[in-house]
Amino acid sequence: MALPAPAGPVLTRGVVMASYLLVAGTLLLVMWRGLLPGLLCVCLGFLLTRWLTGCLVKATRRVSNTPVRTLRLAQVAAAGVVMLLPLVLLAIGLTHSRGYLVEAPQQYRELLDYMARTVLELRLKLPPDMAAHLPEGAAEIQRTIAAYLGAKAGALAMAGRAWLAGLLFAYVGLLIGALAAVRPPPGDLRPLAQALRTRIILFGEAFRQIVAAQFWIAAFNTVLTALFLLFVLPMWDMALPYTPMLITFTFVAGLVPIVGNLVCNVVITIVGLSVSPLAAAACLGFLILIHKAEYVINAKVVGRRTHMGVWELLSVMFVAEAVFGPAGLVAAPLFYAYLKKELVAVRLV
């Protein structure tokens, strides 16, 4: 009597530990070599391709009776859209907004210089009665902040190469993710491959919960901020300078949970102060209002799914920023969510 074939590969403790070490080493290499945009876009390209495939299959199922052929065509079409859409958007952007795209680092440098001058002129911007109550040490604080902004402006002026390299890594990652999404399902996997597949699935779940949710939160925040800067403030004759830069910065900063909102508030409020104290107060009040709504959404969308508290998120973000710089702020929520999923899977937390 023949023995039944094993149901799957036997995962020994050594194999599982090897998969943990490989994933940890890969994530450290990504942070060390500045490949985070590529990693994020690999996950984004994979999820977008899978989502578009599902939509196309549902749309064509009514007119086709060959599900296998329909699925394959839908996968190819979805991958093509994901791979070509950035090139189409880039061509449109270069046609209509070439100066904005090419000169973006220089324009951000000018914005930081403008903020530095505004901080130095704080006493002149405030009403005389309010300015008289400022302590003498406030002038030194103003000079310190202005010097910091000036230093960052100088560093940003040299960031053009990193800007283009990040875009290239991001697009290559998008291609890899789209191609991985249409790859035929693997057959029998060896133990290490099966363990790595489990690690990748958990990482993908963490990405979908953290990064995708934060993307929509940042988009929601950006739309409201754009309406406020482009329509509400001009109606009150308090239009802010560098509005396109501020809107773009709002979206980029919004991708970083918690800390990004605080930085965005400070930047827009300082630029509003350059117009008038009333404009600064209006900007601060509006931003606090929409960020309160954003925190509610964030708590429901992210916190409930990942069971992460605000103190946990802040702690890992500060540590990651100290070790890896600004990229650590972006990667910390994702990496920590993945770590927590692994610990939950083995019932350690």
Side-chain angles (χ1 to χ4, degrees):
M1 178 175 164
L3 295 175
V10 179
L11 301 182
T12 63
R13 178 171 297 183
V15 170
V16 175
M17 289 300 301
S19 68
Y20 287 141
L21 293 175
L22 285 174
V23 171
T26 300
L27 295 181
L28 288 175
L29 180 64
V30 165
M31 299 302 298
W32 178 45
R33 301 302 300 174
L35 299 176
L36 183 62
L39 174 64
L40 297 179
C41 284
V42 167
C43 300
L44 183 61
F46 185 89
L47 292 179
L48 281 177
T49 304
R50 286 291 177 90
W51 178 76
L52 284 175
T53 299
C55 294
L56 292 175
V57 168
K58 291 180 181 178
T60 57
R61 186 172 294 172
R62 302 175 182 176
V63 296
S64 176
N65 295 323
T66 55
V68 175
R69 180 178 176 81
T70 300
L71 176 61
R72 191 58 187 168
L73 291 177
Q75 288 177 335
V76 174
V81 169
V82 171
M83 290 188 290
L84 295 178
L85 184 60
L87 298 179
V88 174
L89 294 178
L90 180 61
I92 296 175
L94 290 177
T95 302
H96 295 86
S97 306
R98 181 177 180 179
Y100 175 76
L101 294 174
V102 175
E103 300 175 2
Q106 175 67 19
Q107 294 177 21
Y108 276 110
R109 185 184 67 83
E110 294 176 0
L111 173 60
L112 290 177
D113 285 334
Y114 184 82
M115 291 171 58
R117 293 195 301 271
T118 301
V119 171
L120 287 175
E121 299 170 358
L122 177 60
R123 287 176 178 267
L124 301 177
K125 300 293 182 181
L126 294 176
D129 294 340
M130 186 179 298
H133 289 84
L134 287 176
E136 293 299 327
E140 182 63 29
I141 296 175
Q142 289 173 236
R143 286 192 291 270
T144 301
I145 296 175
Y148 175 79
L149 292 174
K152 291 300 181 183
L156 188 57
M158 306 298 294
R161 183 176 179 181
W163 179 282
L164 295 177
L167 290 178
L168 178 61
F169 288 151
Y171 183 66
V172 172
L174 202 66
L175 295 180
I176 295 173
L179 293 175
V182 300
R183 179 176 178 270
D188 295 334
L189 295 177
R190 296 296 179 93
L192 182 58
Q194 180 64 35
L196 288 174
R197 184 171 183 271
T198 302
R199 308 281 82 76
I200 294 173
I201 290 175
L202 291 176
F203 187 85
E205 291 178 357
F207 177 86
R208 184 172 61 251
Q209 293 175 351
I210 295 292
V211 179
Q214 196 63 36
F215 175 85
W216 291 113
I217 292 172
F220 167 79
N221 183 18
T222 303
V223 169
L224 292 184
T225 303
L227 293 175
F228 179 73
L229 296 179
L230 295 175
F231 299 103
V232 177
L233 286 181
M235 289 175 56
W236 296 343
D237 294 327
M238 293 188 297
L240 301 187
Y242 298 101
T243 297
M245 295 293 102
L246 293 175
I247 294 173
T248 307
F249 178 74
T250 299
F251 178 75
V252 175
L255 295 175
V256 182
I258 303 174
V259 177
N261 296 333
L262 299 177
V263 175
C264 181
N265 281 355
V266 172
V267 171
I268 296 180
T269 302
I270 292 177
V271 176
L273 183 63
S274 69
V275 176
S276 69
L278 181 60
C283 291
L284 183 60
F286 173 78
L287 293 170
I288 290 176
L289 179 64
I290 65 173
H291 290 329
K292 289 298 182 183
E294 182 179 318
Y295 285 145
V296 174
I297 298 173
N298 202 341
K300 290 185 177 180
V301 176
V302 179
R304 184 176 59 184
R305 294 184 179 181
T306 60
H307 305 287
M308 287 195 304
V310 174
W311 69 270
E312 295 179 86
L313 203 53
L314 281 175
S315 299
V316 296
M317 288 172 66
F318 288 156
V319 172
E321 195 276 338
V323 177
F324 298 109
L329 285 176
V330 180
L334 173 61
F335 289 4
Y336 182 68
Y338 165 66
L339 174 62
K340 203 160 187 179
K341 281 187 174 294
E342 290 284 8
L343 294 176
V344 170
V346 295
R347 300 180 180 180
L348 291 180
V349 296

